[in-house]
Amino acid sequence: MGKEKQPVGELVQGTLDMLILKTLTRGPMHGYGIASLIQQVSDEVLRVEEGSLYPALHRLELDGIIDSEWGLSSNNRRAKYYRLTALGRKQLAKEASNWSRLAHAIARVMEMA
Amino acid sequence: MKKLWKRLRRRWQLERDLEDELRFHLEMKAEETGDAWEARRRLGNVTALKEVCREMWAFAALESWWMDIRYAFRTLSNNRGFTMVAVAALALGIGVNTAVFSFVKTALSFDPGIERADRVVLVSATDALGQDELSRSDPDLRNFRSQVKSLVSLAAYRLTPVNWSDNSGLPERYVCVQMSANGFAVIGRQPILGRHFEAEDERSDATAVVVLTHRLWQDRYGKDPSILGRTIRVDEVPRVVIGVMPAGTRFPEDTDLWIPLVSGGVHSGDPALFGRLADEVTLAAARNEMDTIARRAANKSPDTLKGPLIDLSPILKMYGLYHARPLLVVVLCAVGFVLLIACANVANLLLARSAVRSREISIRIAIGAGRARIIRQLLIESAVLSFGGGLVGWLLALAGLHWFDASMARFPKPAWFDLSMNTEVFVYLAAISIGTGFLFGLAPALQLAKVDVSNAIKNGGHGAAGGMRGRRLSNVLVVFEVTLCVMLLVGSGLMIRSAIKVYGTPIGVNAANVLTMRIELPEAKYPRLDDVISFHKRLKTRIASLPGVEASALTSNLPVYGQMDFTCEVEGVPPTDAGRLPSVGGLVVSRDYFRVMQVQPRRGRVFIDSDEVKGSPGVIVNESFAAKFWTGEDPLGKHLRLVRDQAPRSLLTIIGVIPDIHQDFRDPLTHDPLIYLPYALEPQRSTFIVSRTRVPPTTLVNAFRREVQSLDENLPVYDVRSLEDRITQHHLNIGIFVALFTIFAAIALLLASVGLYAVIAHSVSQRTREIGLRMAVGGTSRDIVWLVFGQGLRQVVIGLIIGLMAAFGVTRVLRAVLVDVSPSDPITFLAVVVVLMLTGVLGCAIPARRAVRVDPVVALRCD
């Protein structure tokens, strides 16, 4: 019910989820903050498509991987803060290990003489 | 659950939240880049983004259901006429079904308050053995009990109504059961207060004791726990209350109290036996075992023992309307027919409407609605209709039951009778509501979903909907309706014929303004017959002096309340087979009985004062008696001699012949030969007092009671009712069935005729152009009328033939309630044919009229 397949590829979508979750390990954060942080940490290499960021956040919330709460931002504005749930931590661990396995595999293939 | 709630909450806030969240994002971005437009551009299509989120949170499927339901309501309220007819038809069908179900359920699901009642059996001996062989002599019973292995215990009981008096309130008449001490072990329930019987209580020298039902304890003593140890006078014998059984425990039905079955006493009638089957023993196995034992015990005269000696039957047979089970099933089937007719009717209405709707449906299909979705939409419409029908039907059922209950209020209510709507009834109501929705909705829905899209849109709906197939289906439905209707009509016709016979047979007395009641003088207080006679004499004087009383008498039996049995020698009649004397029915009545009943003698005279003298020889017979024994002779002056215990009594002379008065409560048509003995000859301890009154009889009840109790304050007056009420109740058996079947048949006929009308009318409106064309090429109105009638009556005739054949096959199940009417009574069948054909003609007449009035010019030009 309600879970629509995104037009983006599996890998990209999975990666975005993982990046969001990883970012949230630093603590509760609003959507804008998540996007900025990912961009900043990746030295502007990874630019989060905002059009898919919010649907992703909502989907994760629906699945119980993250939770949300309205709060005040640093400049005193009402913002929706997301944070990891216990389920989310588990999910992140799983995706992280998957990712490293995949990255290693790709790296090995690419290093092939 | 929590998740669902969160989701629901979110769903409501989603729009605002999403807006806020995105605005915050844009503001932050704009601050960062200093370019609001750039921020917005980066975010992309906000509407699409929102839509994606919205869909995520929404209950897409659920909401589409909701949409369908709303759409169904809209569609139905736009077609008010159709909706009203459909809901009314369904409400009638569902209403009568619910009402009948709650009646049948209550009649069959009576809880006797016995532990695992299905394992308890009644034990009876067949004629060859004689019940007394089994139970009269207690040593035999004990011997028998010790041998039977297939019963855990075997107990005996005997029903004996008793007079109950203590110092709290009026004396009462209660239903008492004398029961062997082990009876409670068979019942298997423990008393909530005190104890029940022990073996010592059976001894004749033991303290007399009594155990109360919860009902008696509650009604008379307000659940006072100090009742234990109190002494009550039961038939003037002091008895100590030793226990109270839990609520609901009644054995047998309608019992008020139990006393021990004391051995060695003199009793009227043999006790009945009941026992509990041992674990894993079947009824048949137990019957076999007991039969073998009985055969061995009765070995003295093996020649007379043919066939099985012992019969076992489930105890539940004694409760509620168990014995009427087959009949109740018949009623349930009949009422089910009514519902089926209602369904067929609504299905037909839906089919007729599908012509109009095919355009709408086609458009929906054309713009991409799946067929499954269309069928779902149509079924939801059906469900909304059937729920509407269920709701109105429920109200109808409530009203009907209320009315039934109210009209039964003046008759004594059996313990099982409780028409409250409980869960079971609601489950049934819900089930048939949903079931009917599918039943009538499915075929039309499938039909519509198959619509030929391009054709339907092109033709604007005319003649498109299912075409031939739809029409054939609706014809079949009409035939089906007519068939069921015919069966119900035949059933009710047979019932009505029976009722006419029963109600048309006069009882033979003037029942208006007669008050009746009973008293029984217990032996403990009135040991000699002279005491009884003197009491009755004093009572008669007192009652005769009451204002409003015209005449009073005593009688052993009331009209339609049975009779006593006497053996007698009849003058001029040789004893029939092997010295056996004829057994005849009779009543013992006091002098004014015939005056109270307003019966004039055909010949001779009725009783006068001199017949009240002890030893006077006058006796009266009814016409049937005279006709049977002295055909063509003058009965006056002939002689009778009663024989009791083989000993002839004094010779009696016939002094009068009275017209037949109906006494038999089973067979309402035939009259038994009866003799009327003067009270002085056979004084009765238990009698009815009957009085003709000048005022409405029930206004005298308290005065009567006062007079009785001023003579004996411990003597209960019971069963106080007007004779009219009694006779009405006597007719109730057939009356209820007649009323039920007539209601069913009336509804069925109404529905079937509306159904036929709807189909024909619709078909005429569909064929307007064709009719116009026929008229244009020279068809006369007569041809057109034939066209319409031919179409309608063909189905009626087909349904009639099938229905009559089916009815012929099944009406024998009604035999139990039919009185002097054959299940294949030709008059009834003929009447049904006439009624149905008339209805058919009526159903076709209006559409035919409309068809004749078709103006060919208009018809051919229309669309």
Side-chain angles (χ1 to χ4, degrees), chain B residues 76 82 86 90 94 339-354 357 361 371-387 432-450 473 477:
Chain B
L76 292 176
F82 161 79
L90 291 170
I94 294 175
L339 189 59
L340 284 179
I341 293 176
C343 283
N345 220 349
V346 178
N348 248 338
L349 288 174
L350 284 173
L351 277 176
R353 233 164 60 92
S354 64
R357 293 199 68 181
I361 302 291
R371 307 242 172 196
R373 184 68 199 276
I374 296 288
I375 292 175
R376 190 182 89 184
Q377 162 64 35
L378 292 169
L379 282 182
I380 285 178
E381 274 183 42
S382 304
V384 169
L385 273 182
S386 70
F387 270 100
I432 61 172
S433 297
I434 296 169
T436 51
F438 272 96
L439 206 57
F440 67 73
L442 201 56
L446 291 176
Q447 193 81 53
L448 251 185
K450 272 191 230 145
L473 181 59
L477 285 172

Coordinates of all heavy atoms in Angstrom, one line a residue, chain B residues 76 82 86 90 94 339-354 357 361 371-387 432-450 473 477:
Chain B
L76 N -27.7 6.1 -5.7 CA -29.0 5.6 -5.2 C -29.9 6.8 -4.9 O -31.1 6.7 -5.1 CB -28.8 4.7 -4.0 CG -28.1 3.4 -4.4 CD1 -27.8 2.6 -3.1 CD2 -28.9 2.6 -5.3
F82 N -36.4 3.9 -7.5 CA -35.8 2.6 -7.5 C -35.3 2.2 -6.2 O -35.6 1.1 -5.7 CB -34.7 2.6 -8.5 CG -33.7 1.5 -8.3 CD1 -34.0 0.2 -8.8 CD2 -32.5 1.7 -7.7 CE1 -33.1 -0.8 -8.6 CE2 -31.6 0.7 -7.5 CZ -31.9 -0.6 -8.0
A86 N -36.6 -1.1 -3.9 CA -35.6 -2.1 -3.6 C -35.4 -2.3 -2.1 O -35.5 -3.4 -1.6 CB -34.2 -1.8 -4.3
L90 N -36.4 -5.6 0.1 CA -35.4 -6.3 0.9 C -35.8 -6.2 2.4 O -35.6 -7.2 3.1 CB -34.0 -5.6 0.7 CG -33.4 -5.9 -0.6 CD1 -32.2 -5.0 -0.8 CD2 -33.0 -7.3 -0.8
I94 N -35.9 -9.4 4.6 CA -35.0 -9.5 5.8 C -35.8 -9.4 7.1 O -35.5 -10.2 8.0 CB -33.9 -8.5 5.7 CG1 -33.0 -8.7 4.5 CG2 -33.0 -8.5 6.9 CD1 -32.0 -7.7 4.2
L339 N -37.4 -14.3 1.2 CA -36.2 -13.5 1.0 C -35.6 -13.7 -0.5 O -35.2 -12.8 -1.1 CB -35.1 -13.9 2.0 CG -33.9 -13.1 2.0 CD1 -34.2 -11.6 2.4 CD2 -32.9 -13.6 3.1
L340 N -35.7 -15.0 -0.9 CA -35.2 -15.2 -2.3 C -36.0 -14.5 -3.3 O -35.5 -13.9 -4.3 CB -35.3 -16.7 -2.6 CG -34.2 -17.6 -2.0 CD1 -34.4 -19.1 -2.3 CD2 -32.8 -17.1 -2.4
I341 N -37.3 -14.4 -3.1 CA -38.2 -13.7 -4.0 C -37.8 -12.2 -4.0 O -37.7 -11.5 -5.0 CB -39.7 -13.8 -3.6 CG1 -40.1 -15.3 -3.9 CG2 -40.5 -12.9 -4.4 CD1 -41.5 -15.6 -3.4
A342 N -37.5 -11.7 -2.8 CA -37.1 -10.3 -2.7 C -35.8 -10.1 -3.4 O -35.7 -9.1 -4.2 CB -37.0 -9.9 -1.2
C343 N -34.9 -11.0 -3.3 CA -33.6 -10.9 -4.0 C -33.8 -10.9 -5.5 O -33.3 -10.1 -6.2 CB -32.7 -12.1 -3.7 SG -31.9 -11.9 -2.1
A344 N -34.6 -11.8 -6.0 CA -34.9 -11.9 -7.4 C -35.5 -10.6 -7.9 O -35.2 -10.1 -9.0 CB -35.8 -13.1 -7.7
N345 N -36.4 -10.1 -7.1 CA -37.0 -8.8 -7.4 C -36.1 -7.7 -7.6 O -36.1 -7.0 -8.6 CB -38.0 -8.5 -6.3 CG -39.3 -8.0 -6.8 OD1 -39.4 -7.7 -8.0 ND2 -40.3 -7.8 -6.0
V346 N -35.2 -7.6 -6.6 CA -34.2 -6.5 -6.7 C -33.2 -6.7 -7.8 O -32.9 -5.8 -8.6 CB -33.5 -6.3 -5.4 CG1 -32.5 -5.2 -5.4 CG2 -34.5 -6.0 -4.3
A347 N -32.9 -8.0 -8.0 CA -32.0 -8.3 -9.2 C -32.6 -7.8 -10.5 O -32.0 -7.2 -11.4 CB -31.7 -9.8 -9.2
N348 N -33.9 -8.1 -10.6 CA -34.6 -7.7 -11.8 C -34.7 -6.2 -12.0 O -34.5 -5.6 -13.1 CB -36.1 -8.2 -11.7 CG -36.3 -9.3 -12.8 OD1 -35.5 -9.3 -13.8 ND2 -37.2 -10.1 -12.6
L349 N -34.9 -5.5 -10.8 CA -34.9 -4.0 -10.9 C -33.5 -3.5 -11.4 O -33.4 -2.6 -12.2 CB -35.2 -3.4 -9.5 CG -36.7 -3.6 -9.1 CD1 -36.8 -3.1 -7.7 CD2 -37.6 -2.8 -10.0
L350 N -32.5 -4.2 -10.8 CA -31.1 -3.8 -11.2 C -30.9 -4.0 -12.7 O -30.3 -3.2 -13.4 CB -30.1 -4.5 -10.4 CG -29.9 -4.1 -8.9 CD1 -29.0 -5.0 -8.2 CD2 -29.3 -2.6 -8.9
L351 N -31.4 -5.2 -13.2 CA -31.2 -5.5 -14.6 C -31.9 -4.4 -15.5 O -31.4 -4.0 -16.5 CB -31.8 -6.9 -14.9 CG -30.9 -8.0 -14.6 CD1 -31.6 -9.3 -14.8 CD2 -29.6 -8.0 -15.4
A352 N -33.1 -4.1 -15.0 CA -33.9 -3.1 -15.8 C -33.1 -1.8 -15.8 O -33.0 -1.1 -16.9 CB -35.2 -2.9 -15.2
R353 N -32.5 -1.4 -14.7 CA -31.8 -0.2 -14.7 C -30.5 -0.3 -15.4 O -29.9 0.8 -15.9 CB -31.5 0.1 -13.2 CG -31.9 1.5 -12.8 CD -31.9 1.7 -11.4 NE -30.6 1.4 -10.8 CZ -29.7 2.4 -10.6 NH1 -30.0 3.6 -10.8 NH2 -28.6 2.1 -10.0
S354 N -30.0 -1.5 -15.6 CA -28.7 -1.6 -16.3 C -28.7 -1.0 -17.7 O -27.7 -0.6 -18.2 CB -28.2 -3.0 -16.2 OG -29.0 -3.8 -17.0
R357 N -28.0 2.4 -17.3 CA -26.6 2.6 -16.8 C -25.5 2.2 -17.8 O -24.4 2.5 -17.6 CB -26.5 1.9 -15.5 CG -27.3 2.5 -14.4 CD -26.8 2.1 -13.1 NE -25.6 2.7 -12.8 CZ -24.9 2.5 -11.7 NH1 -25.4 1.7 -10.8 NH2 -23.8 3.1 -11.4
I361 N -21.6 3.2 -17.6 CA -20.5 2.2 -17.3 C -19.6 2.2 -18.5 O -18.4 2.1 -18.3 CB -21.2 0.8 -17.2 CG1 -22.2 0.8 -16.0 CG2 -20.1 -0.3 -17.0 CD1 -21.5 1.0 -14.6
R371 N -12.7 -3.8 -15.4 CA -14.0 -4.4 -15.2 C -14.1 -4.8 -13.7 O -15.2 -4.7 -13.2 CB -14.1 -5.7 -16.1 CG -13.8 -5.4 -17.5 CD -14.9 -5.7 -18.4 NE -14.6 -5.2 -19.8 CZ -15.5 -5.0 -20.7 NH1 -16.8 -5.3 -20.5 NH2 -15.1 -4.6 -21.9
A372 N -13.0 -5.3 -13.2 CA -13.1 -5.7 -11.7 C -13.6 -4.5 -10.9 O -14.4 -4.6 -10.0 CB -11.8 -6.2 -11.3
R373 N -13.0 -3.3 -11.2 CA -13.4 -2.1 -10.5 C -14.9 -1.8 -10.7 O -15.6 -1.4 -9.8 CB -12.5 -1.0 -11.0 CG -12.6 0.3 -10.3 CD -12.2 0.2 -8.8 NE -12.7 1.3 -8.0 CZ -12.2 2.5 -8.0 NH1 -11.1 2.7 -8.6 NH2 -12.8 3.4 -7.2
I374 N -15.4 -2.0 -11.9 CA -16.8 -1.7 -12.2 C -17.6 -2.7 -11.4 O -18.6 -2.3 -10.8 CB -17.1 -1.9 -13.7 CG1 -16.3 -0.9 -14.5 CG2 -18.5 -1.8 -14.0 CD1 -16.8 0.5 -14.4
I375 N -17.3 -4.0 -11.4 CA -18.1 -5.0 -10.7 C -18.1 -4.6 -9.2 O -19.1 -4.6 -8.5 CB -17.5 -6.4 -10.9 CG1 -17.7 -6.8 -12.4 CG2 -18.1 -7.4 -10.0 CD1 -17.1 -8.1 -12.8
R376 N -16.9 -4.2 -8.7 CA -16.8 -3.8 -7.3 C -17.8 -2.7 -7.0 O -18.5 -2.7 -6.0 CB -15.4 -3.5 -6.9 CG -15.2 -3.3 -5.4 CD -13.8 -2.9 -5.1 NE -13.7 -1.5 -5.1 CZ -12.5 -0.8 -4.9 NH1 -11.4 -1.5 -4.7 NH2 -12.5 0.5 -4.8
Q377 N -17.7 -1.7 -7.9 CA -18.5 -0.5 -7.7 C -20.0 -0.9 -7.6 O -20.8 -0.5 -6.7 CB -18.3 0.5 -8.8 CG -19.4 1.5 -9.0 CD -19.5 2.4 -7.9 OE1 -18.5 2.8 -7.2 NE2 -20.7 2.8 -7.5
L378 N -20.4 -1.8 -8.6 CA -21.8 -2.2 -8.6 C -22.2 -3.0 -7.4 O -23.3 -2.9 -6.8 CB -22.1 -3.0 -9.9 CG -22.0 -2.1 -11.2 CD1 -22.0 -3.0 -12.4 CD2 -23.1 -1.1 -11.2
L379 N -21.3 -3.9 -6.9 CA -21.5 -4.7 -5.8 C -21.6 -3.8 -4.5 O -22.4 -4.1 -3.6 CB -20.5 -5.8 -5.6 CG -20.6 -7.0 -6.5 CD1 -19.5 -8.0 -6.2 CD2 -22.0 -7.6 -6.3
I380 N -20.8 -2.8 -4.5 CA -20.9 -1.9 -3.3 C -22.3 -1.2 -3.3 O -23.0 -1.1 -2.3 CB -19.8 -0.8 -3.4 CG1 -18.5 -1.5 -2.9 CG2 -20.1 0.3 -2.4 CD1 -17.3 -0.6 -2.9
E381 N -22.8 -0.9 -4.5 CA -24.2 -0.3 -4.6 C -25.2 -1.3 -4.0 O -26.1 -1.0 -3.2 CB -24.5 0.0 -6.0 CG -24.1 1.4 -6.4 CD -24.5 1.7 -7.8 OE1 -25.7 1.4 -8.2 OE2 -23.7 2.3 -8.6
S382 N -25.0 -2.6 -4.4 CA -25.9 -3.6 -3.9 C -25.8 -3.7 -2.4 O -26.8 -3.9 -1.7 CB -25.5 -5.0 -4.5 OG -25.6 -4.9 -5.9
A383 N -24.5 -3.7 -1.9 CA -24.3 -3.8 -0.5 C -25.0 -2.7 0.3 O -25.7 -2.9 1.3 CB -22.9 -3.8 -0.1
V384 N -24.9 -1.5 -0.3 CA -25.5 -0.3 0.4 C -27.1 -0.5 0.4 O -27.7 -0.3 1.4 CB -25.2 1.0 -0.4 CG1 -26.1 2.1 0.1 CG2 -23.7 1.3 -0.2
L385 N -27.6 -1.0 -0.7 CA -29.0 -1.3 -0.8 C -29.4 -2.4 0.3 O -30.4 -2.2 1.0 CB -29.4 -1.9 -2.1 CG -29.8 -0.9 -3.2 CD1 -30.1 -1.7 -4.5 CD2 -30.9 0.0 -2.8
S386 N -28.6 -3.4 0.3 CA -29.0 -4.5 1.2 C -28.8 -4.1 2.7 O -29.6 -4.5 3.6 CB -28.2 -5.8 0.9 OG -26.9 -5.7 1.3
F387 N -27.9 -3.2 3.0 CA -27.7 -2.8 4.3 C -28.9 -1.9 4.7 O -29.4 -1.9 5.8 CB -26.4 -2.0 4.5 CG -25.3 -3.0 5.0 CD1 -24.4 -3.5 4.1 CD2 -25.3 -3.4 6.3 CE1 -23.4 -4.4 4.5 CE2 -24.3 -4.3 6.8 CZ -23.4 -4.8 5.8
I432 N -27.5 -12.3 6.6 CA -28.4 -12.4 5.4 C -28.4 -11.0 4.7 O -28.6 -11.0 3.5 CB -29.9 -12.8 5.8 CG1 -30.5 -11.8 6.8 CG2 -30.0 -14.2 6.3 CD1 -32.0 -12.1 7.1
S433 N -28.1 -9.9 5.4 CA -28.0 -8.7 4.7 C -26.9 -8.7 3.7 O -27.1 -8.3 2.5 CB -27.8 -7.5 5.7 OG -28.9 -7.4 6.6
I434 N -25.7 -9.2 4.1 CA -24.6 -9.2 3.2 C -24.8 -10.2 2.1 O -24.6 -10.0 0.9 CB -23.3 -9.6 4.0 CG1 -23.0 -8.5 5.0 CG2 -22.1 -9.8 3.0 CD1 -21.9 -8.8 6.0
G435 N -25.4 -11.4 2.5 CA -25.6 -12.5 1.6 C -26.6 -12.0 0.5 O -26.3 -12.2 -0.7
T436 N -27.7 -11.4 0.9 CA -28.6 -10.9 -0.1 C -28.0 -9.9 -1.1 O -28.2 -10.0 -2.3 CB -29.9 -10.3 0.5 OG1 -29.4 -9.3 1.4 CG2 -30.7 -11.3 1.2
G437 N -27.1 -9.1 -0.5 CA -26.5 -8.1 -1.4 C -25.7 -8.7 -2.5 O -25.8 -8.3 -3.7
F438 N -25.0 -9.8 -2.2 CA -24.3 -10.5 -3.2 C -25.2 -11.2 -4.2 O -25.1 -11.3 -5.4 CB -23.3 -11.5 -2.6 CG -22.0 -10.9 -2.4 CD1 -21.7 -10.4 -1.1 CD2 -21.1 -10.7 -3.4 CE1 -20.5 -9.7 -0.9 CE2 -19.8 -10.1 -3.2 CZ -19.5 -9.6 -1.9
L439 N -26.3 -11.8 -3.5 CA -27.2 -12.7 -4.3 C -27.9 -11.9 -5.4 O -27.9 -12.4 -6.5 CB -28.2 -13.3 -3.3 CG -28.9 -14.6 -3.7 CD1 -27.8 -15.6 -3.9 CD2 -29.8 -15.0 -2.6
F440 N -28.4 -10.7 -5.0 CA -29.1 -10.0 -6.1 C -28.2 -9.1 -6.9 O -28.6 -8.7 -8.0 CB -30.3 -9.2 -5.5 CG -29.9 -8.1 -4.6 CD1 -29.4 -6.9 -5.2 CD2 -30.1 -8.1 -3.3 CE1 -29.0 -5.9 -4.3 CE2 -29.8 -7.1 -2.4 CZ -29.2 -5.9 -3.0
G441 N -27.0 -8.8 -6.4 CA -26.2 -7.9 -7.0 C -25.2 -8.5 -8.1 O -24.8 -7.8 -9.0
L442 N -24.8 -9.7 -7.8 CA -23.8 -10.3 -8.6 C -24.1 -10.4 -10.1 O -23.4 -9.9 -11.0 CB -23.3 -11.6 -8.1 CG -21.9 -12.1 -8.4 CD1 -20.9 -11.0 -8.0 CD2 -21.6 -13.4 -7.8
A443 N -25.2 -11.1 -10.4 CA -25.6 -11.3 -11.8 C -25.7 -10.0 -12.6 O -25.1 -9.9 -13.6 CB -26.9 -12.1 -11.9
P444 N -26.5 -9.0 -12.1 CA -26.6 -7.8 -12.8 C -25.2 -7.1 -13.0 O -25.0 -6.5 -14.0 CB -27.5 -6.9 -12.0 CG -28.3 -7.9 -11.2 CD -27.4 -9.0 -10.9
A445 N -24.4 -7.2 -12.0 CA -23.1 -6.5 -12.0 C -22.2 -7.2 -13.1 O -21.6 -6.5 -14.0 CB -22.4 -6.6 -10.7
L446 N -22.2 -8.5 -13.2 CA -21.5 -9.2 -14.2 C -22.0 -8.9 -15.6 O -21.2 -8.6 -16.5 CB -21.5 -10.7 -14.0 CG -20.8 -11.2 -12.7 CD1 -21.0 -12.7 -12.5 CD2 -19.3 -10.9 -12.8
Q447 N -23.3 -8.8 -15.6 CA -24.0 -8.5 -16.9 C -23.5 -7.1 -17.4 O -23.2 -6.9 -18.6 CB -25.5 -8.5 -16.6 CG -26.3 -8.4 -17.8 CD -26.5 -9.8 -18.4 OE1 -26.9 -10.7 -17.7 NE2 -26.1 -10.0 -19.6
L448 N -23.5 -6.2 -16.5 CA -23.2 -4.8 -16.9 C -21.8 -4.7 -17.3 O -21.4 -3.9 -18.2 CB -23.5 -3.8 -15.7 CG -24.7 -2.9 -15.9 CD1 -24.8 -2.0 -14.7 CD2 -24.6 -2.2 -17.2
A449 N -20.9 -5.4 -16.5 CA -19.5 -5.2 -16.8 C -19.1 -5.8 -18.1 O -18.0 -5.5 -18.7 CB -18.7 -5.9 -15.7
K450 N -20.0 -6.6 -18.7 CA -19.7 -7.2 -20.0 C -20.2 -6.3 -21.2 O -20.2 -6.7 -22.3 CB -20.4 -8.6 -20.1 CG -19.6 -9.7 -19.5 CD -20.2 -11.0 -19.9 CE -20.4 -11.9 -18.7 NZ -21.5 -12.7 -18.7
L473 N -32.1 -13.4 -18.6 CA -31.9 -13.5 -17.2 C -33.1 -13.0 -16.4 O -33.5 -13.6 -15.4 CB -30.6 -12.8 -16.8 CG -30.2 -12.8 -15.3 CD1 -30.0 -14.3 -14.9 CD2 -29.0 -12.0 -15.1
L477 N -35.6 -14.9 -13.8 CA -35.8 -14.5 -12.4 C -37.3 -14.4 -12.1 O -37.8 -14.7 -11.0 CB -35.2 -13.1 -12.2 CG -33.6 -13.2 -12.0 CD1 -33.1 -11.8 -12.0 CD2 -33.3 -13.9 -10.7

